[in-house]
Amino acid sequence: QVQLVESGGGWVQPGGSLRLSCVASGDTLSLTSMTWNRQAPGKERELVAIITTATNTTYYVDAVKGRFTISRDDAGNTAYLQMNSLQPEDTAVYYCNAVHRLTGEEYWGQGTQVTVSS
């Protein structure tokens, strides 16, 4: 089992920055990837960024490329999402997700609210 806890959300003006954190506990060695996802009001949850645990390979959706950066700490238990040049369309609840290496089981955090407005 793996538990994920996100933090770092809040309110920011357009053009501002936030850094989200996702702390994983439990059987973290079993994870193959960690991702950040978001769900805006009235919309479906969507993938934002992926980082693999073996090689730290990253992937971003087009909407955040060049603005967001996903990373992990040296211990591999914490994933970060550095968000720069935030825009109102980035307003959403941001969720951390991790995938079990062998079973494909997915784990989700409780989410953290990000609001971008003037």
Side-chain angles (χ1 to χ4, degrees), residues 57-109:
T57 301
T58 58
Y59 165 84
Y60 302 92
V61 296
D62 287 345
V64 307
K65 278 182 183 177
R67 301 189 299 124
F68 291 11
T69 303
I70 189 171
S71 62
R72 293 167 66 231
D73 67 351
D74 290 342
N77 294 332
T78 302
Y80 302 99
L81 186 68
Q82 177 66 43
M83 305 186 295
N84 298 328
S85 301
L86 284 162
Q87 300 301 319
E89 53 265 34
D90 295 315
T91 295
V93 178
Y94 283 71
Y95 296 91
C96 180
N97 164 283
V99 180
H100 193 284
R101 184 182 310 277
L102 298 178
T103 68
E105 182 177 2
E106 294 190 58
Y107 307 97
W108 291 91

Side-chain angles (χ1 to χ4, degrees), residues 8-79:
W11 172 84
V12 65
Q13 292 185 330
S17 298
L18 285 174
R19 188 174 86 151
L20 307 182
S21 299
C22 172
V23 178
S25 60
D27 188 15
T28 58
L29 293 179
S30 69
L31 302 178
T32 186
S33 64
M34 297 182 75
T35 73
W36 283 100
N37 305 261
R38 66 186 181 186
Q39 187 166 19
K43 296 187 177 181
E44 293 188 354
R45 190 173 298 185
E46 63 175 357
L47 175 69
V48 174
I50 301 171
I51 187 165
T52 63
T53 58
T55 61
N56 284 333
T57 301
T58 58
Y59 165 84
Y60 302 92
V61 296
D62 287 345
V64 307
K65 278 182 183 177
R67 301 189 299 124
F68 291 11
T69 303
I70 189 171
S71 62
R72 293 167 66 231
D73 67 351
D74 290 342
N77 294 332
T78 302

